[in-house]
Amino acid sequence: MDEVSILLITYPILYYIFVMHFKFDSIWFALVFVVTLEVGLVAPPVGINLFVVQGIDRSAKFEEVVKGVLPFVLLMIASIFIFVFVKPLSTWLPSLIG
């Protein structure tokens, strides 16, 4: 499934469970949710975006595309850990707006 479908199907359910019931911050939850979906879109072996990139450059092998995206996947996973364990970092800028 693509990101929009997953977002529309699962977000309302998970929002109710985690934000309403467990009192998580809604901006923090949305940020972690979307970044996690992005990791799923580029993480091998099922990442949809990997096939899109390979389709753009037909001469590139799938293994080359996977090797090229791995550093970015690792950085996104590290950012998820940072967002989860250092919550003020992810809610600092939105708190200035509101």
Side-chain angles (χ1 to χ4, degrees):
M1 293 178 75
D2 65 333
E3 184 181 58
V4 175
S5 302
I6 295 170
L7 189 69
L8 290 174
I9 293 170
T10 60
Y11 189 78
I13 298 166
L14 295 176
Y15 183 86
Y16 176 76
I17 293 171
F18 290 108
V19 174
M20 303 298 236
H21 185 65
F22 291 121
K23 307 293 185 204
F24 286 4
D25 187 284
S26 60
I27 294 173
W28 174 83
F29 177 74
L31 179 72
V32 172
F33 190 81
V34 170
V35 174
T36 305
L37 284 177
E38 289 296 326
V39 170
L41 283 174
V42 297
V46 194
I48 296 171
N49 289 350
L50 297 175
F51 296 106
V52 172
V53 170
Q54 186 186 16
I56 292 172
D57 185 11
R58 302 235 184 238
S59 65
K61 294 183 179 181
F62 188 71
E63 293 83 18
E64 293 174 351
V65 175
V66 170
K67 287 179 186 176
V69 80
L70 278 180
F72 298 101
V73 171
L74 295 175
L75 284 173
M76 287 195 305
I77 291 171
S79 69
I80 291 172
F81 280 112
I82 291 171
F83 292 146
V84 168
F85 294 116
V86 187
K87 183 181 168 191
L89 183 67
S90 60
T91 58
W92 169 74
L93 185 61
S95 68
L96 293 179
I97 295 171

